[in-house]
Amino acid sequence: MSEEYTGVIREIIFHNNENGYTVAVFETESQGWEEEFTIVGNIPKAAAGRTYRLEGDFVDHPSYGEQFKVSSFEEQMPTSEEGIRDFLSSGALKGIGPKTAAAMVALFGEDTFHIIEHEPGRLTEVPGIGPKTAAKVSEAFALQREFASVTLKLQKYDISAEYALKLYQSYGADTVRVLEENPYRLIDDFYGVGFIKADRIAAKMGFQKDEPFRIRSGILFTLNHFVRDGHTFLPEEELCEKAAQLLDLSRDQVREQLEFMAFSGEIHVDLIHQQKVVYLMPFYLAEQRVSKELRLLRDAPLKPLAGGEIDSLIHRTETTMGIPFSDNQKEAVRTSLENGVSVITGGPGTGKTTIINAIIDILEDSGQETAIAAPTGRAAKRITETSGHPASTIHRLLEYSYGEGEKGLRFGRNSENPLDLDAVIIDEASMIDLLLMDALVSAIRPGTRLLLVGDDDQLPSVGAGNVLRDIISSEYIFCTKLTRVFRQAGESMIVTNAHRINRGEYPECNAKGKDFFLVRRQKVPDMLETLLDLCVRRLPAFYPEYSPVRDIQVLTPVRKGPLGSLNLNQRLQAALNPPEPGRLERTHGDRIFREGDKVMQIRNNYEMKWRDCEEFTEGEGVFNGDVGFIQSIDTEMGEITVLFDQSRYVTYNAAQLDELELAYAVTVHKSQGSEFPVVVMPVSWFPPVLATRNLLYTAVTRGKTAVVLVGSEGQLNGMVDNNQISLRYSGLAWRLSQLLKLENQLSGDRK
């Protein structure tokens, strides 16, 4: 049962400004006796000398003994002269120190707070306080009272002090009004707040289940949920069913609000393959623009190449590079140079990098300005290493920015300020989602060559859309598929088995002197222990040149369960980076971050600041999937500094730690665009939607020197047999095929 105490914070032991987490010494008077004890909990803006009414329970901490765990609080303004002096001396109001506080109380006594709030001009009667300081003190006092009032009002809706601070920082004095008007806006305004949490707050505020804005919020939440799964739209019937389940209402009630939302422009209802479908408006507009821009780029006249016919240029490049091209490769180079937009696709070892280098050489010899880019920093870095040509991320190519006060990401290069280039080559194009493709093609002038290079058999983009596959399947853009595996690549069992898997054939494992292994285990506990032993002992001994933390990467199809990334990370952290004296760590929720840990950014944050210690530059932007290593932890401020790309430092405050996860083990989806010297992956029973051929293929193609699978041969073969490809609702292929159909009709009419 909760207990309640009123008293004064006498000493702050620890206070985090970001979330209000506080450890302090609290003094209260109980039954005529003064009593002191340690309190812990989220008390934003806590300071010594301030008076609170606390509710909570005493708990026993294994290291620190008995503590009072605060569940709710209310700041109370002191009424005695001593209490007022203590409050003002606490630093609660900027510009007031102990001496000034004593002088104010000596002059105004118990009326001090009244003077500050209602007659601030009289503060100039205190020696050392001028008109400007008096105004600042009065303003700070009003804000302090305002925040205390907001926090107290939000507690009755079960909104924690930590969230109250975040809300107040965003909405200020309007916090309570904004929430009471529409609590569902929390879903859009705050990362990590879902419909259920907002709905719970709304229920406590007395909102009815059939409130129109509740239904509209449920529809938007449902659409956004499926967007996160890669879809750009939902069939109307499926959307109505899913939203009705979420809202516990009828489909007709949902459909009624759909009509209103379509009329207001929040969503778009379209007809694809004779089926009604519903888009969030940005994705509908993006599909429309991508289709239009690809048509313009495809059909625009190109800047001619200098130095002869294309075939002679290809022959000259073969001689210069000292590599004879196959007929398939020559066709890929030729069509890429002849067409405004083209696609080259193929698996590992088929010579995609050779073709990219040849095309760049021909274009540069012709004096044509060319840029090469990829969807992620990891992929761009790998292209630079393998091709010798500098590559950037698509975001940097388009000069992204996220200025204060802006709603969403902005690109400096767009239709009004296009790229000043003759050719753009995009590698790892299977990773491009619809919105990024929209930004890219909008920034390319007609007459510029666009070449998309990628492996369409890999998993699709993490973001919504199925861009590369849609473009290929539409047959609207010329595509060359590379099929021949060259000798050097063919000597690698990783490459050989990747192609076997892709053809539906079982991989060959454990060939002597090769690089593809299956360690057979039947039971999950045995798989787990073997995997840990491989990462900690056996593989580092066999490959002493590789660091077990930096160079050996565990991949897994799932996040949860004994073989999921969450559990594997805890076990691998304990084995590879255990606690040691002097090695600082920080607990955040159910995670422990420790100096030396391998970590991953799990969402795009375009505002996150970084500094490069090699180039002495600063910038903004850390992206979903970026992997780094914890360099230092500031336990007092609760901050963690992470090193990305061996030179880029990023400091995370407490509020940003939700964006960081351990990365000793990552899901296969998160590994896209990366290569690792050694890949280790469990092969057990996983949900059929994840235990698929293309997931296994994607995992295997991440390995550079060795791939080690741990588990059952039957389950491995089962993944090869499972050629189920998750259906993504996407309209780009349909829109491009409609353009092709229309052009064919017009061509037939002219004949």
Side-chain angles (χ1 to χ4, degrees), residues 122-144:
R122 291 192 59 193
L123 294 177
T124 57
E125 299 173 21
V126 179
I129 295 183
K132 288 185 178 180
T133 301
K136 288 181 180 178
V137 168
S138 180
E139 182 182 358
F141 184 75
L143 290 174
Q144 192 273 337

Side-chain angles (χ1 to χ4, degrees), residues 2 38 80 168 227 256 442 446 455 461 469 471 487 499 514 524 559 642 677 679:
S2 293
T38 301
S80 69
Y168 184 75
V227 162
E256 181 182 342
S442 296
D455 185 348
S461 60
R469 282 186 188 167
I471 290 174
R487 187 182 62 82
H499 286 278
K514 294 294 184 178
V524 168
R559 278 178 55 80
V642 178
V679 163

Side-chain angles (χ1 to χ4, degrees), residues 570 573-585 592-595 597:
Q570 289 184 352
Q573 181 194 44
L576 294 171
N577 191 33
E580 286 185 4
R583 184 178 291 167
L584 299 178
E585 60 182 49
I592 296 174
F593 294 113
R594 192 171 291 135
E595 289 178 339
D597 274 339

Side-chain angles (χ1 to χ4, degrees), residues 110 151 167 171 193 274 358 425 432 450 461 508 512 544 551 556 638 654 680 690:
E110 294 180 359
T151 302
L167 295 173
Y171 304 140
V193 176
Q274 305 303 312
I425 300 172
I432 301 178
L450 172 61
S461 60
E508 296 179 3
K512 188 174 181 180
D551 301 318
T556 176
V680 182
L690 292 173

Side-chain angles (χ1 to χ4, degrees), residues 18 586 608 637-640 651-658:
E18 296 294 333
R586 189 196 191 293
M608 185 82 82
M637 297 300 295
E639 294 178 338
I640 292 178
T651 298
Y652 291 76
N653 61 37
Q656 295 163 330
L657 290 181
D658 285 338

Side-chain angles (χ1 to χ4, degrees), residues 29 114 151 255 355 361 392 434 519 536 565 567 609 679:
E29 189 174 295
H114 176 84
T151 302
R255 192 172 285 107
I355 292 172
D361 287 348
S392 72
L434 177 64
V519 182
V536 175
S565 59
N567 183 58
K609 291 179 170 53
V679 163

